[in-house]
Amino acid sequence: MIAVCKAEGVRLGTALMMRFHAQHQAALKLIREGKLGKPVYGRAQLSCWYPPIPGAWRQDPKTGGGGALVDMGSHCIDLLEMFFGEIKYASCFMNNTIHPYKSEDSAIVSLFFKNGALATVDTFFCIPDNSSKNILEIYGSKGSILARGTIGQGSLGEMTAFLEDDNSAYNAQQGRILANGIP
C-alpha cells in the first residue's frame, strides 16, 4: 500500500518535545540572529526498528492514530516549523515497506514554508536502530547546521554549525574546506 497525502495552509506539527532540546534551542538562536542567512532547506530524520508486536497500539491506526508519520514524523515537522515558521504546502508518501501491520512503517514528507524554505522529513519503523542516525540538517544562504542524534527520546547528540561570513566569494571550482565548524 502506498498512500499519498497533501495539505495546503495547515499546521501539521503538534508534538513539542524536541523543541526544548538544548542543541535545537542553540540552532534556533543562530537562525534568529541571522547567522544562517535566509533559510533554504531542512531535513529531519527519525527512524527505528519496530517489528510487529501483538497488541502494540502504535501499529494500529484505531489506537495510535497512525504509524511512523504520526508517532515520530510529527515531532520532526514541529521542529522544522520552529526553525522555518508556518508551512504553506505539505505532501507525503506512506507505505508498509517491511512490516505488515495496519499503520504505515514508512513515510516521507515534503514541506514548503511561507518564507520560501523547503524541507523533508523521513521517518520509518523499518530501519534498524543502529543504522538510523536521526539526522537534522538545516541550510541557509550563509551556512548550515548539522546534527546527529539530537532527534529522538534522549538528550544527547552532537550539532555543528558551518557558517560563512558576509564576504564569501564565488568559487568556480566549488571547492570545499573540510572544516570542523562551530560545535
Side-chain angles (χ1 to χ4, degrees):
M1 168 197 84
I2 294 180
V4 180
C5 59
K6 290 188 176 189
E8 183 174 329
V10 296
R11 180 167 167 76
L12 294 176
T14 57
L16 298 175
M17 92 175 192
M18 285 186 249
R19 284 181 173 244
F20 302 106
H21 191 292
Q23 290 168 330
H24 298 161
Q25 286 295 308
L28 180 61
K29 184 175 188 282
L30 290 173
I31 293 167
R32 286 186 175 162
E33 291 173 349
K35 293 182 178 175
L36 192 66
K38 180 174 175 25
V40 174
Y41 173 73
R43 174 182 174 235
Q45 183 237 5
L46 178 56
S47 298
C48 68
W49 184 255
Y50 192 40
I53 301 168
W57 62 271
R58 287 184 174 107
Q59 296 174 0
D60 185 344
K62 289 182 182 175
T63 54
L69 180 57
V70 169
D71 188 41
M72 298 186 302
S74 60
H75 296 284
C76 295
I77 292 168
D78 180 69
L79 189 58
L80 290 167
E81 282 183 306
M82 179 178 84
F83 295 134
F84 295 154
E86 191 173 343
I87 296 169
K88 186 172 183 180
Y89 303 107
S91 63
C92 68
F93 289 96
M94 298 182 296
N95 193 28
N96 286 84
T97 306
I98 301 296
H99 303 305
Y101 39 74
K102 294 178 183 175
S103 62
E104 79 282 352
D105 70 359
S106 307
I108 57 170
V109 179
S110 297
L111 303 168
F112 181 87
F113 292 85
K114 285 191 174 183
N115 69 359
L118 303 171
T120 55
V121 170
D122 50 289
T123 185
F124 299 87
F125 277 163
C126 57
I127 294 177
D129 291 336
N130 197 44
S131 296
S132 177
K133 300 306 177 193
N134 298 341
I135 302 294
L136 173 65
E137 303 173 25
I138 307 167
Y139 298 91
S141 60
K142 292 183 181 181
S144 63
I145 300 169
L146 308 177
R148 173 183 267 186
T150 62
I151 295 179
Q153 296 181 15
S155 61
L156 301 177
E158 60 187 31
M159 183 181 80
T160 306
F162 298 90
L163 305 174
E164 304 286 333
D165 60 26
D166 289 332
N167 298 322
S168 296
Y170 175 70
N171 179 346
Q173 295 179 352
Q174 302 296 303
R176 272 118 177 123
I177 298 170
L178 296 176
N180 291 332
I182 305 166

